[in-house]
């Protein structure tokens, strides 16, 4: 992976996957965008965006990667709560 952008003011970062078996076989490009939005009542909302370009129309959608992002977010949340 390579970090493309870190926007501290808006709590946003993006990184591109450069090498992976999944990428080489099915996708031309693959990029994650992570945006953390503070809530008024405390805590934050995490928004993951996945941008990708398929090699062809038969390439599957990347639902599994969004599930992974959700699991990572839950793990980070559990860690942060345990530190409070």
């Amino acid at each position: 992976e390579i970090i493309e952008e870190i926007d501290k003011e808006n709590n946003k970062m993006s990184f591109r996957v450069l090498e992976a078996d999944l990428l080489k076989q099915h996708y031309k490009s693959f990029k994650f965008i992570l945006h953390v939005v503070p809530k008024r009542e405390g805590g934050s909302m995490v928004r993951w965006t996945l941008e990708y370009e398929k090699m062809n129309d038969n390439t599957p959608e990347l639902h599994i990667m969004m599930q992974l992002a959700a699991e990572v977010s839950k793990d980070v949340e559990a860690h942060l709560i345990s530190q409070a």
Side-chain angles (χ1 to χ4, degrees), residues 3 9-10 17-18 22-23 25 27-29 35-37 39-41 43 46-47 52 61 64 66 69-70 77-78 84:
I3 295 173
E9 184 176 321
N10 293 308
V17 178
L18 299 175
L22 183 69
L23 181 63
Q25 295 172 7
Y27 303 93
K28 294 179 184 179
S29 63
H35 188 194
V36 179
V37 181
K39 293 175 155 183
R40 289 184 193 187
E41 62 275 3
V46 175
R47 180 180 299 148
Y52 57 92
E61 298 296 331
I64 189 93
M66 292 310 290
E77 176 186 34

Side-chain angles (χ1 to χ4, degrees), residues 24-78:
K24 291 176 187 175
Q25 295 172 7
H26 301 289
Y27 303 93
K28 294 179 184 179
S29 63
F30 196 83
K31 179 180 178 178
F32 282 100
I33 301 169
L34 172 62
H35 188 194
V36 179
V37 181
K39 293 175 155 183
R40 289 184 193 187
E41 62 275 3
S44 296
M45 179 184 71
V46 175
R47 180 180 299 148
W48 286 94
T49 304
L50 180 56
E51 296 178 353
Y52 57 92
E53 183 180 358
K54 298 179 186 182
M55 291 280 197
N56 58 55
D57 290 337
N58 296 328
T59 301
E61 298 296 331
L62 285 170
H63 301 289
I64 189 93
M65 296 307 286
M66 292 310 290
Q67 290 173 341
L68 175 64
E71 289 174 17
V72 167
S73 295
K74 289 176 186 177
D75 290 344
V76 169
E77 176 186 34

